[in-house]
Amino acid sequence: IRTAVSRSEPLRTFSSTAHLPLTVLTEDQEVLRDNARRFAKETIGPLVRKMDEEEKMDPALIKAVFEQGYFAIELPEQYGGVGGSFTDACLVIEELARVDPAVAVVVDIHNTLINRMFMVYGTEAQKAEYLPRLATDTLGSF
């Protein structure tokens, strides 16, 4: 999992091999959750009313979500992803949804449908071409 010490700092990578019950978070997952909560409150929160009124997602916010690694949580590091788990994605999505469900849905769809579709059904050539882009600057949707 990659996590950041501060909102402006990109995520750093580390891994955990322990398998705990879903009700018990690892220290890394607690840090991930807390950073997502802080990001949602400080970065998304001030934009919610404006985005709702304009019925449009702020492009700078999308860029910030990419910078945090939240669009690449489960993608392997070889493709520019975080290398996290489904649980890690759920923790981030849950924290984003506390502040703005619309942003959370975009992150959810990108992680659990778009990225997952390429990981499961994509050829190695498709993965090499599309996953690095989906991890860094290209937003996917259905």
Side-chain angles (χ1 to χ4, degrees):
I1 296 302
R2 292 190 307 181
T3 189
V5 174
S6 72
R7 180 171 63 101
S8 61
E9 197 175 311
L11 298 176
R12 58 185 172 88
T13 303
F14 52 92
S15 63
S16 173
T17 57
H19 296 285
L20 299 172
L22 292 176
T23 56
V24 179
L25 300 179
T26 65
E27 183 179 331
D28 295 342
Q29 288 173 326
E30 289 178 0
V31 170
L32 176 67
R33 180 202 57 204
D34 294 346
N35 285 335
R37 182 178 293 162
R38 188 181 318 73
F39 176 80
K41 181 179 177 184
E42 295 175 3
T43 305
I44 299 171
L47 301 172
V48 172
R49 181 178 299 269
K50 178 180 181 253
M51 292 189 304
D52 283 350
E53 289 172 354
E54 295 177 0
E55 298 178 357
K56 179 180 173 185
M57 191 83 56
D58 186 320
L61 177 59
I62 293 170
K63 181 178 180 191
V65 174
F66 272 114
E67 290 170 353
Q68 290 297 311
Y70 295 156
F71 281 128
I73 296 169
E74 290 184 88
L75 289 181
E77 292 178 42
Q78 75 187 70
Y79 299 115
V82 175
S85 68
F86 180 72
T87 300
D88 298 332
C90 290
L91 290 171
V92 170
I93 292 162
E94 190 173 73
E95 292 304 322
L96 301 181
R98 289 177 189 264
V99 174
D100 190 349
V103 173
V105 166
V106 171
V107 172
D108 185 11
I109 289 171
H110 189 84
N111 275 286
T112 61
L113 295 177
I114 306 300
N115 293 347
R116 188 77 183 140
M117 179 182 65
F118 279 100
M119 287 302 300
V120 172
Y121 301 111
T123 65
E124 288 306 315
Q126 289 170 327
K127 290 176 187 179
E129 181 176 350
Y130 295 108
L131 290 178
R133 292 169 45 198
L134 290 167
T136 58
D137 63 9
T138 302
L139 188 59
S141 187
F142 275 92

